[in-house]
Structures are given as C-alpha cells and as structure tokens.
Amino acid sequence: MSLFKARDWWSTIVGDDEQFDQGCMCVGNLDNHSSGTDKIVVGSYHGYLRIYNPRPVKTENGNEGFRPEDVLCETSLNAPILQVECGRFVSSAEGMYLAVLHPRKLSVYNLLSTSGAVEHGSHYQLKLVYEHKLQRTAFNFCSGSFGGVKGRDFLCIQSMDGTVSVFEQESFAFSRFLPNALLPGPICYVPRTDSFVTVSSSRCLESYKYQVLAVATDTRTKEESQMLKSGKRVAAEWELGLCDQALDIHVTSFNNSQEAIYVLGERNVYMVSEVGKLLMMKKFDFNPSCFLPYASVDDGQINCIIATHTKTLLIYQNITLTWAAQLDMVPVALCVGKFQDSEESQLKGVIVSLDEMGHLQCSYLGTDPAMFTAASSEVRELDYTELDAEMRQLQKAIKEQQSKSAPIVPTQAAEDEIQIIVSVPPDLDDVSVATNLEIEDEEKVPSLTVKISLKARSHLTDVKVHVHAPAPLASNESLISFASLEPNHPGETQVSFFMCHGFLPSQLKAHITATYQSSSGAPRVVTSQIKLPLKLVIKAVLPIKTATYKITVDTNKPPVNLNDIFPELLGESAGGPGNALGFCVYGLDSVITMLASKTSQRYRLQSDDFASMWPLLSDLLLRLKSYFRVGQTSSDFKITYEGPLPLQEYFEVLDKHFECRLNADKYSHLLEERAAQFRAIQRRLLTRFKDKTPAPLANLDTLLDGTYRQILALADAMEENRKAQQRAAAALSCATHTLNHLIQLWKDLSAEEFSILESSLITSVDDNGDQGWEEIVDASITHLLRTCMAKSAKDQTVNPSPLNLLKDTTKLKKHIALLCDRLGKGAKLVVEGYKPVTSPTTTEPSKPIRPSMPASHSKSEQQKKYKPIPTTLNTKKHQEASSFDEPTIPTGSRFGEKKSPSAQGPIGGGRSGSDYLKRGGSTGDAVNSVPDLDDLGAPEVADQPLVNGVDELVYGL
C-alpha cells in the first residue's frame, strides 16, 4: 500500500447502475472558452452523455466538491457509447468538436453555450453537426492529421472484424481490411510517420502507412468500400512481437522529448520508436488497468501514469518509479486536464480518473500540511487506587455490552433467521423443461418443478440460494440471488430438476443452501434437503422373465400388492395382478423386475445390471415400512435378508471402476510422452528452418504430423474413458449402497454399527483427488480388521499404511470378504468414542431381525460350519439351469428351492441361480405370464438352518 494517498479535489458518481470502459472519457476545451480550461466528457454503455466543468468551492474544511451547476449538459443518445474524443472534426470551423462512436454510427457534435438572462449562468446544449452510418460493427477509433493535413483532424474507425474505415471529416475516404485480423485491438495514429499502429490478435505490434491503405482499395462508393469485397493486399511497414496482449496504446509527441509509442500490456509496458525499434520495456508484478503518458518538466523525459487493480496510482519516469499514491477505486480511464481553481487562478496537471461503475474523480498528487499540533503531556503521579476503580468500571461495562450484543459464533440453540420451505408437487411437469441432455431415450425425459420459499425473521440483504443436484440429476438454476428479504414478504422461486446424464442415480436428494449475513454481521448458512420422487428417473416397462442378478428380501407381514405401493409407476402393468412390475432408468437399457410372493412374504428384484437395482431396492424398503406402519398400533414390521451376500457381483462392478482408473493413468502418461515428443520435434524443425544452409528434414515433418494425430487420438480416448469412469463410479456407488443395506438386514446392525459400516465402505465415489475410492476403502476396512474386528488383542494394531495407488484389487476384495466373514461369525462394529452421523442416503432406521437359530446348534457347532479360507478368489460365472424342473438356486435363499451342492459357494459367489422365470414365452410376454415366487416348490431339507444366515465360507484371503 502506498504511503501517500491521491488528494481528492473534485468527485462525483456518474449515472445510476451504468457501465463504463476505457474510451468512455475524454478531456478538452469543448466549449472553446477563452480561458482554455478543459471540460470532462463521459459517455456510458447505456447511451448517456454527460459534460462536466469542475469548479469546487474552497471552504474551511477543504473543497466543497460536486455541485449541480458543475453539469454543463446531460443527454441520452439512444445507443451505447463506445468512445468519445475531442478534436477539430469540422471543415468549416477551427474550434473543438466532440466525436461520439456508437456500434453502427459515428456522430460529431458541437457544444453551444447560451448566456443566461439572470444570474443562473449559461445554458448548454449539444447540436449534431454530421454523422456517418457504418456498415460494420465498430470497436474503437483514433483521430489525427492523416496525410499531413494542417489544422484538421480525420477519423479512423476500426470494426470488430479488423476493418479500418477512414473519414475525412464530413466525407468518407476508404475502408481497408487489415491482414491476419482475428480480433480488434487498440489503435493509434503516429503523426511523424503518417501511419497507424495497432496490435493484432497474434500479439504483434504492426504499423501501416496511411498512403498504402489509401491506394489499396479499388471501390468508388462508400457502400462498396465498407462492404469490402475486393482490393489489394496490404502489408505492414514493420512488426514487433510482444510478450502479452496489449491493453492500450498512446503516442507521445511532446516538444521537449522524442516521439515514441507506448504500449501497455497485461504485465509489461513497452516503449517503441516510430520505426518499430524497442527502446524500453518494464515488467510489472501487478495487473495494470490503464495508463497515460504525459510530458515531464525535465527535457527529454516522459512520465507515465499507470493505474493498477490494487487501487494504486504509480508514476514512472522512463523505467524509474518516482511516486505512488492510493486511490479509492480501480480506474479504467485516465486523463490529465487544466481546470479553473478560482476566479483568478487555474489548476494544471489534475488527474481525472473513471472506474467501470461511474466513479469520476479529479485528484492531485502530494500531501496536505497537517494543522494538528500535539499538546504537551502533563507529568503527574499515578494514583493506583483510582486506576483500579476505573479498570473495574470498564470491565463491568464490557460484560454488560457482551451480554446485550448477539454472539458472533452461533450457539446450538440459536434459531436461524431464514427458514427454507420447499414444496414438491406430486406430479411431474406437463411440459418437460429438461435441456442440455446427454442421454437418449424413446420417451421424453420428464422434469419436476419445486417451489422454494424463504421466510426471514428480520430484514436481510444479499441472500444467495445455491441449488445442488447430485449427478446424474441437474437443475435449471444453480444460483439464485435475493437483493433483500422482509419478514412480511417471503422470497419465492421455482427450480426444475431432471435427469441429465446417462448413468445411475445413487441418491435422489437435492440440497438447498442459503447464505446470508445476520443482523449482527456474522455469516450464516441454512441448508435443506429435497427428496425427489422415484418417477423422475425411472419409468414403467414390461417385466422380464430372465435376469442375471437377483436380490431377495423377507418380511414378517403378509405380502403386499405391488400396485398399492407403486401406484405412480404401473405403466402398462396397470390393472394386473400386482405380483410383478418392470422398471427402467431413463437413458439405460437394463430392465429391473420386481416380484412379490403371494404367500411366502418375500420380494425379489432381478436385473441384468446389478447396480441398477439399488434405486428400486431403497424405495421398496421405504415404502414397505411406510405401508405397514401407517394406521397401525404395532410397529413390529421386520425386513430381513437371508441369502448369500452378492460379493462376486459387487466385485465385478468394483473391477470395472478400477480398470477405468488404470486406463486414465495410462492415458495420462502416454499423453505426457507424446507431448514431450511433439515439442522435441518442433525444436528440431525450428533449428532446421533457422539454419542458413538448408538441410533435409529427414521425415521430421511426417513424424510431427503422426505425433500430432496420436495426441488427438489420446485426447479422445481420455475423454471417452472419463465418461466411462463417471458411469463406473455411479454404478459402484449404487452397488456399495446395496451391499451395505444387505449387510444391515442380514446381521441386524444397529444404527451405530451401520454408520461405522458406511463410514468404512463409503458410498461416495470421488475420482478427483490423488487417493481414489479403492485406496480409502482399503485403508478404512484394514483399520477395522486391525482394531474392533481383530481376532485377539495380539492382532490389534493401528499403524496406518500409506495411501498409494493399488496395483490390483485382489487385496481389497480379500479385505471386504474378510470383513463379511467376521461379521458372520458375530463380530461387532464398535469403535470407542464414535458417534453415529446420519448419512444423507441412509433410509429410515429400522432394526431387522436376526436369522433364527435352533437351540440344538451350539456356538461350537456353528464355527464348525466354516472351512479354512483358501488364497484364491472364486470367479466362476453363474451358469443358468437348463431345465426349470431342476433349478440350481443359491443355497440359503429360502425361497423353497431345492438345495444344490454346487451352489454352496462363498458369501459373494453363490450366484448360480436358476432362471426360474424361464417357463415359456418371450421376454415381452404379459405380466400374467410371470410366475409367482411360490411356484418353485417346497424345500426338501427344512431342518438344516443356515449358520448366521450364510453357508460355509469357501471364499477367503
């Protein structure tokens, strides 16, 4: 920060909520007053033009500042003002006129003064002298005595496409397209060489002779020339490469110094001679916003004022910093003018600055003398008794003030000043507003519009509402701002949610976050959740008879008609028996079939995609609990899972995700190698081209082209793998949700145990960091196996291992299987000092029953059922039965199927399940052709219960 501050001489705010930029201000003797004092002309992008004549009145406390009579003229031109400039633009007069550039026209005005009849002063008005219609959208312009004309100023307008049009005052001269023009840049006129200097989009400072541009056109009329369909090719007189993009250009032509071209870049300032030779360059460690060179009092020296984005004004003499002053704004335009300080004196060298919001300030450098004189201190003896009494009085006042004022840190019992109320309609939108979809589906992707209301307890300002919809869901609004909220006028808005991406949704909860500042000035955050309906992402289809993956849950209540618990997702199954429904996620092909038994109190989900069953499984559990608990006095409804855990199916999903991560790492290394190779070939080619004695390229150009094609192919492959990894991450999240809930139902986990399980086998898959999901889960489960689930105190250890990228998933799968094995043997997930945190995706807590065990089976007999754990994983695929009469059903499913010795596999490998729906008919048969689960027959061996709900463990580490 500067030691000194720019002294405010006169300031005001131009307009209300208007925007300004670099060319929106100029200074000059626009009314041609005999005193020669300057006037300030300001034009805004909103089309308003204002002319000021600062005349502050000195008082005892300093200058009075802005007065209404300082405004000479204010008018609306009904078009955005891009740039204003003062000059001799009229051929019939020698006075100063005002040129105003609009996007499609150039206007020249005269400021007329009419003396007042009374003491109210003069009256000013703008009179249009002439204007030129433009065929192309203008960007900026410059003025000067083109062609060496004396006493007159011509205008050169640069268009958005790089075309320059020259107007010799009231008449049009010619238009010319600058070569290699992609984006327009700053432009200025150099009188000594009679040329234009501009900066191209390739960061080159280019100079074009006026005479070369004038003779390069072969059109005759103004319209033909501005359309610019033909003409000779022009060449730059000289070019100079810059290090960064130019922000502004000025030409210095002072009497006591040499003529030079100053260019302000994003990090540098350049001083270039009129023939393109670099004279000086100064590198900055800050970001400049604008600059202005001006003449120095010393001969041969040029001063340069540079404004920065840190609100600092720096004065350089050549490359030496001579002064620095602090401003109250970030200027976008700077000028130096001469103004009337009093009736007899003038103030020269006033710095005029304008920022983008319209703060106009006239200031000067230096300091004001301090008139304060410190009083001499009195030497007296200290009275410690009086000091102690004063200290006690101050402490008492501080305590009273603290008790009255609101605490900065909110307490737990403090109420929020904003209440978020969300209204979710029961039906989807009649006309979907889903946009920017990345999925393709036969049906229109639906949307749901919810109403969000904010009720404030007091007056609040600048309240921002953030809407977060978890992928693959999206919303049409992500940030909503409220300027103010009143207690009697709640803020309301509507947000639409829809399915946007083509992968599985792991949760259907959107988060609404409101940020604001309390009445005491402390920041506050209020959050709320929106439970979105299942029909937003799933549609009803016909059920299928065959499926690869199956999940079965048992209850202790009579079976429920599926039409009663899924009334909004019946589709073509409406009016059926209600024991079979089919569903499909929008944008995906896999069909999820839900079956309900009529007498055996079982429900089954089956699909060809294991992960896709999670949204239906979660919703089924919630709806069953809601159905049996509403209107009933007893709440003894139980849901259990007694089948083998689908670990093998889960590991398949895990391997797909890990494979995508390995591919991403491989593509990244390959792309890095190809990029290094591409740069090396470029260096060799550049050396060959610069060599004075040309040498053969030795097929380097062919190698360069081939490497470039490989880089493009690798980039495309990385993008495809990124999308595949995103789909795999969503599938892994859904599969992890499924496995956690099945373990909870299987082992009757408490809320605390289930929270620890979800904290270890996490359901949120984030691939943005260095440590992936596999490394985090492996470390978490390893910690559980070494602490609360250790076999003995000897095995307990808490030494963490580094989180490095796994080479394969064998170790992780062994740890997950061992976790399930120890849970099956009765281990408890209890961590000392752990407090369960409700997960945003957990369902309503319900304590499932444990699998019943006959009294005749002792603990020792249960342990005998487990065989030693082998060191290899069983990856044998599920083979469907060839006949429905002799099915091979996973052992322990208790559907009444016959036990199959070949199915007595591991916890996750018992997927030899029979295709019990394969009884005849095609996949698209009606609902009535889908058999009931009770048709599979009764068990042959009913007196052999499962050990803890699973069979013998032959799956191990």
Side-chain angles (χ1 to χ4, degrees), residues 279-517:
L279 302 178
M280 177 268 294
M281 173 182 172
K282 176 67 176 178
K283 187 175 180 62
F284 301 133
D285 55 356
F286 54 83
N287 292 326
S289 60
C290 59
F291 84 130
L292 177 68
Y294 69 97
S296 174
V297 294
D298 299 331
D299 292 339
Q301 301 292 334
I302 299 177
N303 290 348
C304 187
I305 306 176
I306 298 179
T308 70
H309 284 278
T310 57
K311 300 180 181 181
T312 307
L313 206 62
L314 305 177
I315 311 298
Y316 283 89
Q317 191 172 49
N318 292 338
I319 61 173
T320 305
L321 180 64
T322 59
W323 194 266
Q326 196 72 22
L327 292 174
D328 296 330
M329 59 183 180
V330 179
V332 295
L334 289 174
C335 292
V336 175
K338 177 178 64 174
F339 302 101
Q340 193 75 26
D341 187 25
S342 64
E343 295 181 358
E344 299 179 356
S345 63
Q346 294 180 353
L347 186 62
K348 299 180 181 180
V350 177
I351 301 175
V352 185
S353 56
L354 175 71
D355 72 347
E356 61 181 359
M357 301 307 296
H359 295 273
L360 181 63
Q361 182 179 7
C362 295
S363 56
Y364 58 91
L365 303 179
T367 59
D368 289 337
M371 305 303 295
F372 173 75
T373 303
S376 58
S377 59
E378 250 180 66
V379 179
R380 58 187 179 90
E381 295 182 1
L382 299 178
D383 188 352
Y384 292 99
T385 305
E386 183 180 353
L387 291 178
D388 291 340
E390 184 179 359
M391 178 63 71
R392 288 193 296 269
Q393 184 179 0
L394 292 176
Q395 289 178 348
K396 181 180 179 182
I398 292 174
K399 291 181 179 180
E400 291 178 354
Q401 185 64 25
Q402 287 179 347
S403 61
K404 293 180 181 179
S405 60
I408 298 299
V409 180
T411 59
Q412 188 174 5
E415 295 183 355
D416 296 322
E417 297 186 27
I418 288 183
Q419 181 183 6
I420 303 178
I421 302 176
V422 181
S423 300
V424 181
D427 300 326
L428 301 175
D429 297 339
D430 296 334
V431 178
S432 177
V433 297
T435 57
N436 300 327
L437 301 180
E438 298 181 4
I439 59 177
E440 296 181 359
D441 198 89
E442 298 177 355
E443 300 181 10
K444 179 69 175 178
V445 177
S447 64
L448 179 70
T449 301
V450 302
K451 180 181 178 182
I452 302 175
S453 300
L454 300 180
K455 290 187 177 181
R457 300 179 182 272
S458 60
H459 175 75
L460 299 174
T461 59
D462 193 20
V463 179
K464 297 185 182 299
V465 179
H466 301 264
V467 181
H468 172 69
L473 299 176
S475 61
N476 61 345
E477 297 285 348
S478 59
L479 176 63
I480 305 166
S481 299
F482 293 92
S484 62
L485 289 179
E486 300 293 340
N488 299 329
H489 297 84
E492 295 183 353
T493 185
Q494 290 185 343
V495 179
S496 298
F497 297 91
F498 48 86
M499 183 100 168
C500 181
H501 306 283
F503 49 87
L504 293 170
S506 60
Q507 58 174 328
L508 294 175
K509 291 183 179 179
H511 298 270
I512 309 297
T513 305
T515 60
Y516 64 97
Q517 285 190 348

Side-chain angles (χ1 to χ4, degrees), residues 22 185-186 188 199 205 242-251 261-272 280-284 286-293 304-309 314 316 331-334:
Q22 187 174 4
C188 69
V199 179
L205 185 66
L242 304 179
C243 298
D244 51 3
Q245 189 61 38
L247 302 178
D248 197 5
I249 300 179
H250 281 281
V251 176
I261 304 170
Y262 274 78
V263 182
L264 179 65
E266 296 174 342
R267 282 284 185 174
N268 306 276
V269 63
Y270 310 88
M271 181 180 177
V272 185
M280 177 268 294
M281 173 182 172
K282 176 67 176 178
K283 187 175 180 62
F284 301 133
F286 54 83
N287 292 326
S289 60
C290 59
F291 84 130
L292 177 68
C304 187
I305 306 176
I306 298 179
T308 70
H309 284 278
L314 305 177
Y316 283 89
V332 295
L334 289 174

Side-chain angles (χ1 to χ4, degrees), residues 504-546:
L504 293 170
S506 60
Q507 58 174 328
L508 294 175
K509 291 183 179 179
H511 298 270
I512 309 297
T513 305
T515 60
Y516 64 97
Q517 285 190 348
S518 64
S519 56
S520 60
R524 294 287 187 270
V525 178
V526 180
T527 60
S528 178
Q529 284 188 350
I530 303 178
K531 180 65 173 66
L532 300 175
L534 185 65
K535 59 184 177 181
L536 185 62
V537 298
I538 286 183
K539 61 181 178 180
V541 297
L542 289 175
I544 59 174
K545 298 170 60 177
T546 58

Side-chain angles (χ1 to χ4, degrees), residues 647-663 728 732 773-774 808-810 812-813 873 875:
L647 288 184
Q648 185 64 28
E649 295 87 341
Y650 178 71
F651 292 157
E652 292 176 1
V653 180
L654 190 153
D655 289 336
K656 289 181 181 179
H657 177 260
F658 188 72
E659 181 182 359
C660 291
R661 289 188 57 202
L662 293 180
N663 290 338
L732 180 59
W773 181 90
E774 288 80 4
D808 53 49
T809 58
T810 304
L812 173 61
K813 291 188 285 189
L873 295 177
T875 58

Side-chain angles (χ1 to χ4, degrees), residues 746-779:
W746 170 50
K747 292 307 299 175
D748 189 19
L749 298 182
S750 62
E752 180 180 354
E753 290 178 309
F754 184 66
S755 178
I756 296 175
L757 177 64
E758 282 198 325
S759 301
S760 303
L761 199 60
I762 56 176
T763 57
S764 176
V765 182
D766 186 9
D767 296 327
N768 297 326
D770 296 335
Q771 284 82 26
W773 181 90
E774 288 80 4
E775 290 79 21
I776 297 175
V777 171
D778 185 47

